[in-house]
Amino acid sequence: VAWTDAERNAITSVFAKLNPDVVGPNALARCLIVYPWTQRYFSKFGNLYSAETILGNPMVAAHGKVVFGGLEMAVKNLDDIKKTFAPLSELHSEKLHVDPDNFRLLADCLTLVIAGQMGAAFTPEVQAAWQKFLAVVVSALCRQYY
Ligand code: HEM
């Protein structure tokens, strides 16, 4: 993937503004609430019975931060996201058996939460760069599926 300087700047500056303790947990919780079938992969997280319990579940919050850490790896390796994510892709495919359609759903939840946090600073240009970044992340996560 080729990035323009403007895209690189947009992606890294969006990322620098985000609070990992809020964005990761809120995006994962939103995904579990809006797309309830994604809950099946997280049975060991305990109580996911309602939006309230999902939002208050410490294991969801903790895992949201782990996902955010994954995004950080991608931001730091913009020129080789595919290789950076090869082990994660293999894990989600071979061990976790996560249906890869779900990656895009979580990516969309991330965008919504980030847009909500950034407000007017999330301009169309910034959004375009950010969506491109997430599309590359999703594609990299899908690489080891066959
Ligand atoms: C684990 C990242 C999407 C289900 C993980 C881990 C990371 C990660 C970094 C920890 C890996 C490790 O322990 O070595 C991401 C990223 C995603 C994504 C960046 C997309 C933006 C999803 C989706 C699902 C999912 C959509 C299911 C609907 C899981 C599960 C685990 C996991 C079940 C193991 C949790 C545990 O045992 O604690 N993911 N993930 N992931 N992911 Fe994902």
Side-chain angles (χ1 to χ4, degrees):
V1 184
W3 304 102
T4 65
D5 287 345
E7 285 171 341
R8 280 178 201 278
N9 285 338
I11 294 162
T12 47
S13 70
V14 166
F15 200 78
K17 288 195 191 96
L18 301 178
N19 181 346
D21 297 343
V22 177
V23 172
N26 281 356
L28 180 60
R30 187 178 277 258
C31 184
L32 293 168
I33 293 164
V34 178
Y35 309 111
W37 59 88
T38 59
Q39 294 170 18
R40 69 189 292 265
Y41 304 104
F42 299 102
S43 50
K44 69 170 190 191
F45 283 11
N47 191 335
L48 304 173
Y49 303 141
S50 69
E52 285 70 31
T53 59
I54 290 170
L55 286 163
N57 185 315
M59 293 183 81
V60 171
H63 190 64
K65 287 184 213 172
V66 171
V67 169
F68 194 85
L71 281 190
E72 186 173 22
M73 275 178 8
V75 171
K76 287 187 172 152
N77 294 279
L78 277 182
D79 292 311
D80 206 354
I81 294 180
K82 208 193 293 176
K83 195 160 126 225
T84 307
F85 268 19
L88 260 187
S89 178
E90 197 174 327
L91 177 79
H92 285 82
S93 162
E94 316 254 308
K95 267 186 101 177
L96 301 170
H97 308 292
V98 171
D99 182 329
D101 285 349
N102 294 317
F103 297 139
R104 194 179 52 77
L105 302 180
L106 179 57
D108 285 348
C109 289
L110 280 161
T111 299
L112 280 168
V113 169
I114 291 164
Q117 285 227 321
M118 290 187 53
F122 202 62
T123 61
E125 289 80 6
V126 170
Q127 182 184 351
W130 183 259
Q131 304 260 114
K132 178 174 166 183
F133 166 69
L134 284 181
V136 174
V137 164
V138 167
S139 147
L141 281 170
C142 290
R143 288 293 291 197
Q144 304 297 321
Y145 281 76
Y146 52 85

